[in-house]
Amino acid sequence: MDHISTRPLTFVVGTGRSGSTALSHVLNLHPGILSVNELFTSLGMEPHRHPLPARTVSGAEFWELVTRPNEGFDRMIRSGAPAPEFLYNRRPGRFSAETTGIPALSMMVLPHLTDDPDGLFDELAPRVSAWPGRPVARHYTALFELLAERFGRGVVVERSGGSLGWVPWMREAFPGARFVHMFRDGPDCALSMSRHPGFRMTLRTMDARSAAGAGLLARLTDEHVRTLPPDLAGLFAERFDPALLMEAPVPVARFGEMWSHLITRGLTALARVPEGSRTSLSYEQLLDAPRRELARLAEFIGVDPAEEWLTAAEATLDHGRRGSALRLPADELSALRESCAPGTEALRAVMAGA
């Protein structure tokens, strides 16, 4: 399969915890959209696991890249602290975090598309492995094409949580792609991050790097871990106490700082995307006017906003988490708002100029 067609490709990007997981489910309901769920998140974004290495690889090498188990995700499952986005472990097949490791592609991508992820894995393996050598970005495009053909979909939408900072390399790798920036009220988003195993692990890993004197993006070695205090070192065991992750006293304002950093840096990158190739989607506006916002999104992606789809999509949206930050104690809410202020102002400026 050396010939690769050019189905329209859109990336939904954001900070994570912005309602984009729900959007992936909404998109998956549309008969014309291949909803690629959390592909790049599944592969991991550490420097040693970059999903787009700058070299040509064979089909077999590419298949190994996208199926190699994510060690961190498997460790979270083994420890009883899986992220809610993990799908494979809910209805496990022949792969296991305890034994084989769960292939990266099987964790969130394949179970989103089919009730038989192992069967789809086996169907894809020989075909992808036989592909000729080419740049990794072209392999990804071919994978999107193969899946779109398999499921009879006309356009492709990839959505990974926390992907806003990846816009520069996505543009370089997929120059014709469009971008949808999905965002949510800063304090609500940051509060959701503070309760999420994945974001808590990200922040605690940053703390561990700092405590070990490692670089901001350095891979923590066994030697680094040996220098850490027990509450941090324990998180890097093959099986850790989930209380070390979920009950560590981390001020919610720190997640507000993380959100602001992601938003301000991401908006700078998005501003470089040609105006016709980008749009924004507010989680709150999606809840307030789902049909209007989904119809607008469908037009941008390149599909028909069919009435049946709009009705089914509207029924899936959950209004229950809106305004959750307002229930915090006054001092915590004040500190959270202050930490979110830079991102909130950056968003306000962009939306005012839209």
Side-chain angles (χ1 to χ4, degrees):
M1 183 180 170
D2 196 34
H3 173 70
I4 303 174
S5 74
T6 54
R7 274 179 169 82
L9 172 62
T10 300
F11 292 106
V12 176
V13 296
T15 62
R17 311 312 296 162
S18 58
S20 61
T21 299
L23 183 64
S24 275
H25 291 293
V26 164
L27 295 174
N28 205 31
L29 295 173
H30 195 291
I33 299 173
L34 177 75
S35 175
V36 182
N37 177 56
E38 302 273 19
L39 173 60
F40 295 121
T41 297
S42 299
L43 303 181
M45 290 302 297
E46 299 288 346
H48 58 285
R49 284 183 59 90
H50 198 286
L52 286 169
R55 61 189 175 93
T56 295
V57 300
S58 68
E61 289 172 313
F62 175 71
W63 183 245
E64 197 277 333
L65 171 70
V66 297
T67 59
R68 184 172 57 215
N70 185 312
E71 297 171 7
F73 289 173
D74 280 347
R75 191 171 68 248
M76 291 171 70
I77 292 171
R78 285 195 301 271
S79 303
E85 292 82 2
F86 297 169
L87 298 178
Y88 188 88
N89 52 297
R90 297 184 190 176
R91 295 176 59 186
R94 72 173 184 267
F95 301 112
S96 167
E98 298 280 355
T99 54
T100 60
I102 299 172
L105 197 65
S106 297
M107 185 70 82
M108 294 179 276
V109 177
L110 301 186
H112 181 68
L113 295 173
T114 176
D115 290 333
D116 182 19
D118 286 356
L120 183 54
F121 182 96
D122 292 341
E123 184 182 328
L124 295 173
R127 298 188 64 179
V128 175
S129 296
W131 286 347
R134 55 190 166 203
V136 172
R138 284 181 59 79
H139 278 300
Y140 280 118
T141 301
L143 179 61
F144 296 152
E145 177 67 16
L146 178 58
L147 288 170
E149 284 185 352
R150 167 67 171 74
F151 289 97
R153 308 300 172 97
V155 304
V156 178
V157 181
E158 196 280 340
R159 193 281 313 173
S160 284
S163 56
L164 187 54
W166 309 342
V167 169
W169 65 253
M170 285 178 164
R171 285 191 64 209
E172 181 180 355
F174 309 100
R178 294 185 167 197
F179 293 86
V180 176
H181 175 212
M182 188 167 189
F183 62 92
R184 180 184 181 188
D185 172 74
D188 280 356
C189 193
L191 179 60
S192 183
M193 289 176 174
S194 77
R195 297 168 174 172
H196 186 274
F199 281 93
R200 290 186 72 87
M201 183 63 82
T202 296
L203 201 56
R204 297 300 277 163
T205 301
M206 291 169 57
D207 290 343
R209 288 186 178 121
S210 177
L216 183 62
L217 295 178
R219 184 173 191 176
L220 286 169
T221 64
D222 291 342
E223 184 176 345
H224 285 136
V225 172
R226 282 193 291 271
T227 70
L228 296 174
D231 64 314
L232 288 174
L235 290 172
F236 301 96
E238 283 300 302
R239 190 186 302 271
F240 61 81
D241 179 354
L244 290 175
L245 182 63
M246 301 308 297
E247 297 178 20
V250 183
V252 68
R254 290 196 60 197
F255 293 92
E257 293 169 1
M258 177 190 291
W259 178 82
S260 279
H261 174 73
L262 291 170
I263 285 288
T264 53
R265 185 180 66 174
L267 290 177
T268 299
L270 277 172
R272 301 189 180 102
V273 178
E275 194 169 329
S277 296
R278 57 180 161 89
T279 192
S280 297
L281 178 63
S282 159
Y283 177 62
E284 287 76 21
Q285 289 184 14
L286 178 61
L287 294 180
D288 288 342
R291 288 173 174 267
R292 182 194 70 199
E293 291 301 291
L294 289 174
R296 182 175 64 84
L297 180 64
E299 181 180 359
F300 181 80
I301 292 170
V303 294
D304 176 49
E307 178 64 26
E308 298 84 1
W309 174 63
L310 293 175
T311 300
E314 188 174 16
T316 70
L317 297 174
D318 177 11
H319 294 250
R321 293 177 295 174
R322 188 173 183 173
S324 54
L326 297 176
R327 294 188 282 273
L328 288 172
D331 57 340
E332 285 189 55
L333 178 57
S334 177
L336 179 57
R337 282 175 167 162
E338 183 177 351
S339 66
C340 288
T344 299
E345 288 301 315
L347 267 177
R348 184 176 294 126
V350 167
M351 298 312 293

